[in-house]
């Protein structure tokens, strides 16, 4: 049971991170008018499926302490992952110097 708990916890943490990154990317695509056609449909399908997954997983987390521990773990993981992946939380396009 301990092994199963560790695997499911790690999987949930990865799913949360992936979902957050997908949503961030889709926000950028929407802002630039790039979330179109089949990509938009697939994204919407993913969001619906992810919502079902996260709602079901939430039913397994019953105490406020467990919920707060999960959010603390996610925040720490997000910071470490973004540093490793070189994807900062705040990102702005590089301003090109037109005088060069």
């Amino acid at each position: 049971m301990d092994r199963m708990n560790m695997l499911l916890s790690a999987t949930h943490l990865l799913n949360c991170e992936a979902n957050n990154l997908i949503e961030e990317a889709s926000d950028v695509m929407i802002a630039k008018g790039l979330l179109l056609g089949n990509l938009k449909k697939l994204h919407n399908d993913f969001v619906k499926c992810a919502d079902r997954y996260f709602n079901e997983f939430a039913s397994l987390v019953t105490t406020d302490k467990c919920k707060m521990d999960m959010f603390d773990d996610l925040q720490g993981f997000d910071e470490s992952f973004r540093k490793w992946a070189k994807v900062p939380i705040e990102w702005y396009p590089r301003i090109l110097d037109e005088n060069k």
Side-chain angles (χ1 to χ4, degrees):
M1 291 300 280
D2 288 341
R3 177 74 173 162
M4 180 190 69
N5 187 35
M6 289 172 55
L7 290 169
L8 289 175
S9 294
T11 300
H12 184 66
L13 195 60
L14 289 170
N15 283 332
C16 288
E17 184 67 19
N19 188 65
N20 289 343
L21 293 172
I22 288 168
E23 285 302 315
E24 187 176 332
S26 71
D27 289 345
V28 172
M29 288 188 288
I30 289 168
K32 301 296 182 183
L34 300 173
L35 192 60
L36 303 167
N38 198 44
L39 184 58
K40 183 174 183 175
K41 181 196 175 309
L42 291 171
H43 175 73
N44 289 339
D45 292 347
F46 173 84
V47 169
K48 289 176 189 173
C49 185
D51 286 346
R52 289 193 316 267
Y53 168 82
F54 289 119
N55 285 333
E56 182 63 27
F57 199 92
S59 72
L60 302 174
V61 182
T62 57
T63 68
D64 288 341
K65 181 182 180 338
C66 287
K67 290 176 188 175
M68 294 311 298
D69 288 347
M70 184 189 72
F71 287 118
D72 288 343
D73 289 347
L74 180 58
Q75 183 177 3
F77 181 77
D78 180 63
E79 290 169 4
S80 296
F81 180 80
R82 285 177 180 273
K83 183 177 179 182
W84 174 82
K86 297 173 183 68
V87 179
I89 291 172
E90 295 294 326
W91 180 86
Y92 302 97
R94 191 173 76 208
I95 297 173
L96 300 176
D97 185 358
E98 294 182 18
N99 295 329
K100 290 184 178 181

